[in-house]
Amino acid sequence: MQDFKWLKIGLSIIIMAVVVYVLKTLKAIFIPLVFALFLTFMFAPLNRFLVNKKIPQPLVLIILVVIIFISFTLIGSLVYMGVASFANEYPKYERQMTLLLGDFINDFNAPTNDVAQFIKNNVKPSDIISKISFSSIIAGTMGTFVDFIMKLTLTVIFMLFIVAGKSRFINNLADVFTTDSSDQTNHI
């Protein structure tokens, strides 16, 4: 009996490790899938409204996709314009950041603190600012933007399948459960 307990604990640890590995490996799929589920629930009232108005399901799907793409394109454009504006105005910001950093370093007036004295005597604000590569930060942001668009597309595809398969799921519930159980499960 004691050996069975240790076997059960060992198998549980192995299974948890495998599940964590699979989830980590497939996060590129699971993150858009979870986001698609979230969007499905978020747009469920609009979906219900359009279906109740007797609009065909393919047209409902097209309307949802258009709304999602327009919304996220606007949000993405705002972020992109903010980053581009910062990149264009960077020389002004660089001068101000250098002055602020210089003031901060000059404010170290603790002569007993060796680290503060070392920083005050050896660190130049312009050196710190020059080490920051804003071109790589902006390039990374644009790469992230492209990644965002690809994940958004995958999310919308998942959402299309979820919304399109909802009616079949409800029909399958009716086949499996009694009428009362099916209605209650569908309501939940």
Side-chain angles (χ1 to χ4, degrees):
M1 187 68 176
Q2 187 71 355
D3 291 335
F4 182 69
K5 179 181 174 186
W6 288 108
L7 180 66
K8 202 168 152 182
I9 292 171
L11 285 175
S12 297
I13 291 171
I14 291 170
I15 289 172
M16 278 202 306
V18 168
V19 166
V20 167
Y21 176 76
V22 168
L23 288 176
K24 186 176 179 185
T25 303
L26 298 177
K27 74 179 177 182
I29 293 172
F30 283 127
I31 291 172
L33 180 62
V34 169
F35 194 61
L37 287 169
F38 171 74
L39 286 177
T40 302
F41 285 115
M42 192 170 99
F43 284 103
L46 177 63
N47 188 10
R48 259 192 315 272
F49 173 77
L50 294 174
V51 169
N52 289 341
K53 294 292 182 184
K54 306 294 184 207
I55 297 176
Q57 186 69 25
L59 189 57
V60 169
L61 293 175
I62 291 171
I63 291 170
L64 289 175
V65 168
V66 168
I67 289 172
I68 289 170
F69 268 118
I70 288 173
S71 301
F72 282 103
T73 301
L74 289 174
I75 292 169
S77 296
L78 288 174
V79 170
Y80 176 75
M81 286 189 300
V83 170
S85 172
F86 178 77
N88 290 336
E89 299 294 323
Y90 175 67
K92 282 194 257 181
Y93 295 134
E94 180 181 23
R95 190 172 50 253
Q96 286 179 321
M97 287 178 0
T98 303
L99 290 173
L100 283 172
L101 197 56
D103 290 344
F104 177 74
I105 290 173
N106 288 332
D107 285 342
F108 272 132
N109 290 326
T112 58
N113 190 342
D114 294 335
V115 175
Q117 277 303 111
F118 177 79
I119 290 173
K120 186 174 180 180
N121 295 334
N122 297 319
V123 176
K124 295 178 184 141
S126 58
D127 291 343
I128 294 174
I129 297 298
S130 67
K131 300 272 188 220
I132 300 173
S133 172
F134 282 100
S135 60
S136 65
I137 292 171
I138 292 170
T141 303
M142 292 302 108
T144 305
F145 184 71
V146 171
D147 185 48
F148 169 75
I149 294 297
M150 291 177 64
K151 285 185 179 176
L152 176 64
T153 305
L154 187 59
T155 300
V156 169
I157 290 169
F158 283 147
M159 185 179 163
L160 289 175
F161 280 108
I162 292 168
V163 171
K166 183 179 177 186
S167 61
R168 273 188 249 128
F169 178 72
I170 292 170
N171 292 338
N172 290 341
L173 278 179
D175 291 342
V176 174
F177 294 115
T178 63
T179 306
D180 292 336
S181 297
S182 175
D183 290 342
Q184 182 182 9
T185 305
N186 185 27
H187 179 69
I188 291 172

